[in-house]
Every structure is written in structure tokens, then in C-alpha cells.
């Protein structure tokens, strides 16, 4: 099955951000996207950004254009949020983002009336209905499709780092889960979701797609839902492992981290090096550890089974790859990794708010609403 890979300028950046719609008083999710989207989609048509619907009517998604830098893509996202607020503020709707809503129940939510979503729910049933999850996707342009799978296979070792930096789903349906990212384990229940298969070439990917289409698992490549996947239509590698980020600055940080890693591995390939890989069972264990412990995880970092504290390893990566970030013009955003390490990821901030308010998850939602407007806020405890 031939699958073309679009031309894409090297290391350009695209961002997608899924955003919840909530009642400003109660913090409950509200399914009001359909009434807002007709105007928002029309208004965004001539812009670089887009505003679209998602699986549930309580969600909208904003996307950037092709960014020459992280700052370029973030500018698009900022403009999109401004446009959305021009519609949601008068309508009495608030915005927030996290990997999960602290207390919402799946049976209170409505599925968007589109055939692709109805088909998904028909096939996946209870698990599909439980997809009350929100995430961000980062696209990075790759100029040669022969680089795609070597980079994906190397980048998979850094999924726990990205998952932990973005972790923001410690609560689920009103319960404290004990996980930094409950979303990570929920999402992988969907067919074709989860860690990527360890394919080695573009021909392997085409063979995989042929098998999946032939056996009725999927219709086309857009239904590959791996944590990292090729995006053939855009000529990018797309990282999908991250929880919904609670602030624009954190979105910029994670976008920069992905861009820097992809460019770093691309340079190694240019120099004729073979990129490092690890056994699939190490990746699976790392994903669970990052979901459970977040930034406190101890992760496996090489094929020999060496283990490192994630916080320490992240700081070393920043020190090592800052020259690449400077070349890409995203050093400031990349340095945000250290800010997250110092001030806490969203899951840590949410847990602190819950602890300070005797477990009041409504307080957590209002905290997230405030952060989405104003940026990360250290809770007073």
C-alpha cells in the first residue's frame, strides 16, 4: 500500500491544543461547542490558525499554521485563543485545559454529530464513551521520509519525559487516581493507540497500513493513533503522548522540547550515525512509570537497562541540547523545562490545590480556569 509523505520544511513546528468548555460558576463541562463553532470556523478560514470541534461537544481544538519557529506557532495559538474568547466570554463559557476534568462523568457528555465519531463509539463502546481526555499534539517537519522511523524509534525513549512534563490528569470522575497522567493509560485502550510498533522503514509502515486496512482495523493512515506517529499528509512526525497542557507557556515548552529532539536526531543521521533504540518492553514499562509517578519516576534510558531519576535526566538533556535550541530560535521556550521542574507540573499544582481545599475538586477546576487565562500559578498551601 503506497503512502506518500508530503514535502515539509525541516524542523518546522505545528501545534494542536484541545480545550474544555466549562460553566464559570460550577466548573461543570458544557456541551456548547456546536453553537459556537459555525462562526469560529468561518472567522478562522482566512487566518493561519484554525478552530474546530472534537469528539465531544464540550471541546474545541485550536491549531497553528506551519511555524518557522515555536514562537511563530505559539503566536498562531494565541491568536486562536483570543478569537475563541471573543465568542465564549459573551456566551458565559470558560476555558481550561488538562488531561482530564477533575470530576466530570462520561455519561453526562454528548458526542459530536459526525459520522467518524459515531463510528468510533459504535466500535469501541464503553471505552470510547470514556474518552474524556484532552491532549496536545506537536508536529515537526521532516525533510526526508527515510528519516521518519529512525527518529520515531529514538524519540520513543523520550516519551516518559514528555508525558511527565505535561502530566495533568491526576483526577478522574471525582476520584484521586494516584497517577500523574491517568489519561495516558485510558487513551491506549482505543484500537491502534498506544506506543508505536517498532517499524524500521517507510516500507514497513506501508506494509503495516496495508494489513490494517485489509483486516478492517482502519480506513487509512489518519486512524493510526500511536503516541508518536508519522503524519504523511503534513510531512511531519507527530507526538501525541502529552496530556492537555494547562497554560500557553507550558505548551511552548513542550513544543520546543519535541522540536529540539527531532532536530538533534536528524543531525545525527546527517552525520551517518545509527540512532539509539531500546527494547519495546522497556518503553512499555517507562510509559507506566511516567503515568504513575510523573516527574518523580525512575526511567530506563538505554538498551542496557540503565535507570535514571526523570528530573535529573531532564535537566541534563536541557544542558546538552540547549545549543540545538539556540540554533532553532527556541532557547527561551526550551528553558521552560527547568521552570516546570522547579515550580511543578500541572498535576502537582492540581494536587496541591486539592490538598489545600480539603479535597474540593471544584477548587481545582477554578484553578485550571485561572491558569488558562493567566499562566501557571503556584498554590498557597
Amino acid at each position: 500500500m503506497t503512502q506518500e509523505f508530503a514535502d515539509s520544511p525541516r524542523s518546522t513546528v505545528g501545534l494542536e491544543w484541545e480545550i474544555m468548555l466549562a460553566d464559570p460558576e460550577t466548573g461543570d463541562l458544557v456541551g456548547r461547542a456546536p453553537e459556537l463553532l459555525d462562526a469560529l470556523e468561518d472567522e478562522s478560514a482566512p487566518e493561519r490558525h484554525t478552530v474546530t470541534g472534537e469528539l465531544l461537544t464540550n471541546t474545541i481544538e485550536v491549531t497553528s499554521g506551519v511555524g518557522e519557529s515555536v514562537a511563530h506557532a505559539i503566536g498562531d495559538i494565541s491568536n486562536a485563543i483570543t478569537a475563541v474568547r471573543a465568542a465564549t466570554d459573551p456566551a458565559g463559557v470558560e476555558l481550561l485545559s488538562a488531561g482530564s476534568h477533575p470530576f466530570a462523568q462520561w455519561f453526562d457528555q454528548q458526542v459530536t454529530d459526525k459520522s467518524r465519531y459515531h463510528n468510533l463509539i459504535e466500535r469501541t463502546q464503553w471505552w470510547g464513551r470514556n474518552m474524556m481526555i484532552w491532549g496536545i499534539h506537536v508536529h515537526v517537519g521532516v525533510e526526508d521520509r527515510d528519516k521518519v522511523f529512525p527518529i520515531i524509534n529514538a524519540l520513543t525513549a523520550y516519551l516518559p519525559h514528555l508525558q511527565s512534563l505535561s502530566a495533568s490528569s491526576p483526577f478522574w470522575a471525582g476520584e484521586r487516581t494516584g497517577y500523574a497522567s491517568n489519561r495516558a493509560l485510558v487513551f491506549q485502550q482505543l484500537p491502534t493507540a498506544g506506543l508505536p510498533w517498532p517499524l524500521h522503514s517507510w516500507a514497513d509502515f506501508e506494509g503495516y497500513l496495508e494489513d490494517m486496512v485489509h483486516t478492517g482495523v482502519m480506513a487509512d493512515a489518519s486512524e493510526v493513533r500511536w503516541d508518536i506517529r508519522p503524519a504523511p499528509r503534513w510531512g511531519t512526525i507527530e507526538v501525541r503522548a502529552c496530556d492537555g497542557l494547562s497554560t500557553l507557556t507550558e505548551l511552548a515548552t513542550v513544543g520546543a522540547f519535541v522540536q529540539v529532539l527531532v532536530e538533534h536526531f536528524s543531525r545525527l543521521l546527517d552525520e551517518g550515525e545509527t540512532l539509539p533504540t531500546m527494547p519495546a518492553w522497556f518503553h512499555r514499562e517507562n510509559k507506566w512509570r511516567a503515568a504513575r509517578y510523573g516527574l518523580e519516576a525512575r526511567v530506563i534510558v538505554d538498551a542496557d537497562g540503565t535507570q535514571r531519576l526523570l528530573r535529573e535526566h531532564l535537566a541534563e538533556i536541557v544542558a546538552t541540547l540547549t545549543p540545538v535550541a539556540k540554533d532553532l530560535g527556541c532557547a527561551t521556550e526550551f528553558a521552560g523545562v527547568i521552570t516546570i521542574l522547579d515550580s511543578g507540573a500541572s498535576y502537582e499544582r492540581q494536587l496541591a490545590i486539592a490538598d489545600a481545599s480539603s479535597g474540593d475538586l471544584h477548587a481545582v477546576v477554578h484553578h485550571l480556569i485561572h491558569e488558562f487565562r493567566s499562566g501557571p500559578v503556584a498554590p498557597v498551601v
Side-chain angles (χ1 to χ4, degrees):
M1 180 178 180
T2 300
Q3 178 65 63
E4 297 299 326
F5 187 73
D7 291 333
S8 180
R10 175 169 170 163
S11 292
T12 47
V13 182
L15 301 171
E16 305 174 28
W17 198 4
E18 296 169 352
I19 300 165
M20 297 179 236
L21 306 177
D23 182 282
E25 299 299 324
T26 66
D28 290 313
L29 292 172
V30 293
R32 297 182 62 183
E35 72 185 71
L36 299 168
L37 280 171
D38 281 347
L40 285 169
E41 289 175 348
D42 288 345
E43 290 168 6
S44 70
E47 306 293 340
R48 281 177 45 85
H49 66 261
T50 63
V51 182
T52 58
E54 255 294 335
L55 172 65
L56 299 176
T57 61
N58 57 37
T59 304
I60 59 170
E61 181 179 69
V62 295
T63 65
S64 74
V66 178
E68 297 174 1
S69 65
V70 170
H72 194 195
I74 285 291
D76 290 345
I77 296 294
S78 180
N79 290 338
I81 296 299
T82 298
V84 170
R85 284 211 185 276
T88 55
D89 283 354
V93 173
E94 272 293 357
L95 308 176
L96 67 149
S97 181
S100 64
H101 187 280
F103 59 79
Q105 300 286 344
W106 69 268
F107 45 78
D108 291 328
Q109 315 309 317
Q110 297 298 315
V111 175
T112 299
D113 189 18
K114 288 188 177 180
S115 59
R116 62 183 294 234
Y117 297 136
H118 291 307
N119 291 340
L120 175 66
I121 297 301
E122 172 58 29
R123 184 173 189 218
T124 59
Q125 292 295 304
W126 188 86
W127 276 115
R129 290 286 294 165
N130 263 277
M131 288 296 123
M132 287 197 310
I133 55 176
W134 293 264
I136 63 107
H137 302 162
V138 181
H139 292 259
V140 178
V142 180
E143 80 283 9
D144 181 352
R145 77 177 189 183
D146 288 338
K147 286 184 171 183
V148 169
F149 278 95
I151 292 175
I152 285 177
N153 292 335
L155 192 58
T156 301
Y158 293 83
L159 283 181
H161 306 69
L162 291 160
Q163 188 175 295
S164 297
L165 284 169
S166 67
S168 59
S169 49
F171 303 103
W172 188 267
E175 295 188 19
R176 184 166 178 158
T177 66
Y179 285 78
S181 174
N182 199 57
R183 171 193 171 274
L185 303 185
V186 171
F187 186 49
Q188 68 183 11
Q189 304 308 316
L190 288 183
T192 76
L195 292 165
W197 294 107
L199 306 178
H200 300 291
S201 68
W202 195 256
D204 288 346
F205 182 56
E206 291 177 328
Y208 165 82
L209 291 177
E210 184 170 356
D211 287 346
M212 294 297 98
V213 171
H214 175 68
T215 55
V217 177
M218 64 177 70
D220 55 47
S222 69
E223 295 184 22
V224 176
R225 298 185 177 94
W226 299 337
D227 294 339
I228 311 175
R229 70 177 183 182
R233 179 183 177 187
W234 307 113
T236 64
I237 288 172
E238 180 185 6
V239 173
R240 302 162 51 86
C242 297
D243 279 7
L245 287 156
S246 299
T247 69
L248 190 64
T249 55
E250 290 170 311
L251 177 64
T253 292
V254 170
F257 197 2
V258 175
Q259 185 195 30
V260 167
L261 287 171
V262 172
E263 174 62 20
H264 167 64
F265 290 131
S266 190
R267 291 181 182 188
L268 293 180
L269 289 173
D270 290 343
E271 294 166 4
E273 295 194 27
T274 299
L275 300 186
T277 59
M278 297 198 309
W281 43 92
F282 285 175
H283 292 312
R284 182 171 181 175
E285 174 63 16
N286 275 348
K287 179 173 181 176
W288 184 86
R289 292 185 188 184
R292 170 66 176 88
Y293 300 109
L295 293 171
E296 303 307 319
R298 189 174 182 85
V299 295
I300 305 162
V301 297
D302 59 33
D304 295 329
T306 304
Q307 298 180 66
R308 298 292 309 281
L309 290 172
L310 194 53
R311 286 184 179 275
E312 294 177 0
H313 200 228
L314 276 164
E316 291 175 10
I317 292 167
V318 172
T320 300
L321 295 184
T322 289
V324 179
K326 289 179 179 178
D327 290 345
L328 293 170
C330 66
T332 299
E333 294 88 350
F334 188 50
V337 172
I338 303 302
T339 302
I340 293 174
L341 294 178
D342 290 342
S343 61
S346 179
Y347 77 92
E348 295 174 295
R349 303 194 300 271
Q350 290 181 54
L351 290 170
I353 290 292
D355 290 343
S357 59
S358 301
D360 182 4
L361 298 188
H362 291 83
V364 176
V365 173
H366 287 293
H367 158 80
L368 289 167
I369 289 171
H370 181 74
E371 281 205 335
F372 195 85
R373 279 194 183 270
S374 307
V377 177
V380 178
V381 296

